[in-house]
Amino acid sequence: GSGVPGVEPVGSCPLPDTDCRVACVDGRRFKLRGLTHGHESDNFWFTVKAGAVQAANDLRLVDFEMDLFAPPDSDRPDAFTTDQHAQRIQAAADDATVDGLFVSLPGPHVFDEVTYAAGKKPVISINSGYDVSKSLNPSGG
């Protein structure tokens, strides 16, 4: 199997000239959740979200979610805090309806939660560097 409950691989997808070997999955049965430290007052994250939405559409994912936080200095309950970012990662890791995650790691405050999530489902880091991503998926990916 693919290691993802309810998602069976449809083939092997080795990447040339790398040690990365991942199973290809049928996106029509795969739910991806994006968890970043991005917030509405930083235009960079709108570009990231637009690219992620386009990729999800191109891959025909059954479901894709990525929310942006409210600005950190706002009084809104969804304002970015490091604790809220860590809590969202933990909740998504424990959510049986989510098959995989992509996450940003703005600092060490979320590394334990991301490592925990990577032990439960596929996790890709973004805006964090290759070494961080590889440390979360030592078999490649």
Side-chain angles (χ1 to χ4, degrees):
S2 68
V4 177
V7 179
E8 291 303 313
V10 293
S12 176
C13 300
L15 299 177
D17 302 321
T18 71
D19 59 357
C20 181
R21 302 289 182 264
V22 296
C24 289
V25 296
D26 183 349
R28 295 170 293 181
R29 290 183 268 155
F30 195 84
K31 180 177 179 180
L32 182 66
R33 178 89 169 114
L35 299 161
T36 71
H37 62 285
H39 51 83
E40 298 165 348
S41 63
D42 185 346
N43 288 334
F44 170 79
W45 292 104
F46 286 104
T47 303
V48 171
K49 185 173 182 175
V53 168
Q54 183 63 56
N57 289 335
D58 291 349
L59 294 169
R60 301 182 331 218
L61 295 185
V62 68
D63 198 357
F64 169 76
E65 296 176 21
M66 178 181 164
D67 298 325
L68 296 176
F69 283 103
D73 55 354
S74 72
D75 291 330
R76 290 174 36 190
D78 63 338
F80 174 79
T81 66
T82 55
D83 287 342
Q84 279 206 24
H85 187 43
Q87 289 168 4
R88 286 184 182 187
I89 293 167
Q90 179 82 33
D94 291 333
D95 185 342
T97 68
V98 175
D99 299 308
L101 305 172
F102 72 86
V103 298
S104 65
L105 286 83
H109 61 274
V110 295
F111 196 75
D112 288 344
E113 287 80 6
V114 172
T115 302
Y116 170 77
K120 297 187 85 170
K121 53 190 69 178
V123 174
I124 301 293
S125 68
I126 64 167
N127 201 40
S128 308
Y130 175 75
D131 291 343
V132 171
S133 184
K134 184 150 178 70
S135 74
L136 297 172
N137 296 287
S139 64

